[in-house]
Amino acid sequence: MKGSETETVVSNPHDALFRKTFRKREVAQSFFRNHLPEDIRRHIDFEHLEITDGTYVDEKLRDKHSDIVYRTKIKGQTAFLYILFEHQSSPDPVMVFRLLCYMVNLWREYRDQNPKAKKLPVIIPLVLYHGPEKWNSPLTFSGMIEGHNDDLCVFIPDFTYQLYDLKKHRDENLMIGEMELRAVLHLFRHIFDADFREHIVRTMQMLAQMADRAKSLEFLEITLRYVYHARNDDRKTVKAYIDRGIACFDSERAREVAMTVAEQIRQEGRMEGKMEGKMEGKMEGKTSLLSVMLAERFGRVSRQIEQRLGRSDAGTLDRFGRAIFRFKDLKDAEKWWEENEKGGTA
């Protein structure tokens, strides 16, 4: 696995598994054919399904949303299938507004690439959600607008989106289409569950049934990484989940993949520990330096200020350090902390 992919898994495991799965044309095709409503599905030319590059999500929100766009044909004309994966544990209350912004970004790019086009292509937006909380965000754009009525509706753009809330589907409803699609949807649906132990076994059973052994092992690796990073359990508990799941594979190669991923995770944990240790060391050094500066100026440091220095973050310590030379005595320093802790500026 390439380094950049590994980093993506660590920083956003949901995004990594989503992209790994849904960027495969046959998987996306299977998803659309089996999970879009018939009145939409019958218009789509699945033979012309083509993945596009890039993302239209606001950069500040890429830890919460992921998107993939497929180009297709509807009545011979270019159209787009836009999948937005909401990988927060709770629904975004302004999702429909965000979707409109992302769709406008896509239309703008289309206009740039087709400057002679007089019309815009259809975009069919679909939100994939797997959080434990019930989806309660508006499904229409007009549902976000306050104070509108029939006389004003002509001034309000309106559209809806297809919501695919995995929690509202029974497990058996997900057991259609490509085997890797079934496994990933099942995993997404149950990743936050308390009884996850049973569901990791079912996921592994599906991966073990894949006819293409190389593809099975490829998905096994990214699935293991996803479980390690997406679950909030301690590493020992997650390892117990995975050990139980790996037993579904009658394959020495699968066990080797599991051992390799586990070792890489341990190495990542050691690196994180070293970085945390370095940061703690820097914080201790900065706190000590500020204490010395105060003692040099005022002859002593009060216990109250020492406690505040010890529990402050780096940004607060930096601001305090810059303010020290404005203090006339320790009372000024204590006043600075009182104002700072109340949210004032110094």
Side-chain angles (χ1 to χ4, degrees):
M1 179 173 288
K2 296 179 181 178
S4 59
E5 292 175 344
T6 302
E7 290 166 8
T8 303
V9 175
V10 175
S11 62
N12 195 328
H14 305 293
D15 172 84
L17 185 57
F18 168 68
R19 289 189 174 282
K20 186 72 172 181
T21 306
F22 282 83
R23 285 188 65 83
K24 292 180 178 291
R25 182 178 180 274
E26 66 275 15
V27 174
Q29 191 177 60
S30 178
F31 178 75
F32 294 134
R33 284 187 183 277
N34 291 291
H35 297 291
L36 278 177
E38 169 58 25
D39 59 346
I40 296 174
R41 192 169 64 233
R42 61 192 175 89
H43 296 290
I44 298 170
D45 183 348
F46 289 104
E47 299 309 312
H48 283 86
L49 208 61
E50 177 187 356
I51 187 75
T52 67
D53 293 325
T55 177
Y56 303 90
V57 171
D58 189 310
E59 188 172 354
K60 294 179 292 185
L61 295 171
R62 289 179 190 172
D63 62 329
K64 299 177 181 179
H65 307 147
S66 307
D67 61 347
I68 289 177
V69 181
Y70 275 89
R71 183 183 289 106
T72 185
K73 297 282 187 180
I74 291 180
K75 294 183 177 180
Q77 301 298 316
T78 296
F80 294 97
L81 297 171
Y82 186 96
I83 314 176
L84 187 71
F85 182 34
E86 166 68 282
H87 41 72
Q88 298 182 100
S89 58
S90 58
D92 187 332
V94 294
M95 175 58 77
V96 69
F97 174 68
R98 299 201 196 285
L99 271 173
L100 178 60
C101 295
Y102 302 157
M103 292 164 67
V104 168
N105 289 341
L106 177 54
W107 275 318
R108 183 181 291 116
E109 181 181 270
Y110 178 84
R111 285 282 299 140
D112 290 342
Q113 295 173 352
N114 301 272
K116 295 183 179 180
K118 296 181 179 179
K119 294 188 177 182
L120 298 173
V122 170
I123 301 175
I124 299 174
L126 185 147
V127 173
L128 179 63
Y129 173 66
H130 71 143
E133 293 187 21
K134 182 180 179 181
W135 187 269
N136 54 10
S137 303
L139 294 177
T140 63
F141 189 76
S142 60
M144 280 205 64
I145 306 298
E146 291 184 333
H148 75 283
N149 55 42
D150 290 345
D151 293 330
L152 302 178
C153 68
V154 294
F155 303 109
I156 300 170
D158 201 13
F159 74 99
T160 188
Y161 57 93
Q162 289 292 310
L163 174 67
Y164 198 74
D165 184 349
L166 289 171
K167 285 295 182 184
K168 293 181 67 175
H169 292 268
R170 297 168 63 90
D171 282 347
E172 52 266 34
N173 294 337
L174 304 179
M175 297 298 107
I176 51 178
E178 294 282 321
M179 188 61 73
E180 58 207 276
L181 175 64
R182 301 183 195 186
V184 169
L185 291 181
H186 183 86
L187 191 58
F188 278 150
R189 184 176 190 272
H190 294 289
I191 191 63
F192 300 116
D193 290 4
D195 61 343
F196 182 70
R197 181 195 301 252
E198 303 305 319
H199 300 296
I200 185 64
V201 170
R202 184 71 188 103
T203 299
M204 295 296 186
Q205 288 173 339
M206 285 185 271
L207 292 179
Q209 292 172 24
M210 291 174 60
D212 188 327
R213 182 57 57 187
K215 185 182 294 186
S216 172
L217 293 174
E218 177 188 8
F219 263 81
L220 172 64
E221 179 179 355
I222 194 167
T223 296
L224 294 179
R225 290 183 172 280
Y226 176 66
V227 174
Y228 266 115
H229 291 293
R231 290 288 298 182
N232 290 323
D233 307 287
D234 59 79
R235 292 181 186 275
K236 185 177 180 181
T237 301
V238 175
K239 186 176 184 304
Y241 292 150
I242 290 173
D243 287 344
R244 184 170 181 183
I246 286 295
C248 301
F249 283 80
D250 183 19
S251 164
E252 184 62 31
R253 182 72 186 100
R255 285 185 282 274
E256 289 174 3
V257 168
M259 291 175 63
T260 299
V261 172
E263 178 58 31
Q264 290 172 346
I265 296 296
R266 279 194 291 271
Q267 292 296 335
E268 290 167 10
R270 292 192 188 108
M271 289 300 295
E272 288 170 7
K274 288 180 180 178
M275 290 300 294
E276 288 172 3
K278 287 181 180 178
M279 290 302 295
E280 288 174 4
K282 288 181 179 179
M283 290 289 286
E284 289 175 3
K286 187 175 292 188
T287 300
S288 298
L289 176 61
L290 292 174
S291 294
V292 169
M293 291 171 67
L294 285 171
E296 285 289 326
R297 289 209 68 196
F298 307 121
R300 66 185 182 88
V301 181
S302 68
R303 182 173 178 80
Q304 187 180 36
I305 289 179
E306 283 187 341
Q307 290 175 341
R308 282 168 163 161
L309 288 171
R311 63 172 180 256
S312 296
D313 59 29
T316 302
L317 293 177
D318 285 341
R319 291 196 301 275
F320 181 71
R322 290 192 295 271
I324 281 178
F325 298 101
R326 302 201 304 266
F327 302 151
K328 296 178 181 178
D329 51 36
L330 278 179
K331 287 184 179 179
D332 283 348
E334 290 170 354
K335 183 179 179 181
W336 186 96
W337 282 107
E338 289 172 3
E339 293 176 347
N340 186 73
E341 290 182 341
K342 291 177 182 177
T345 58

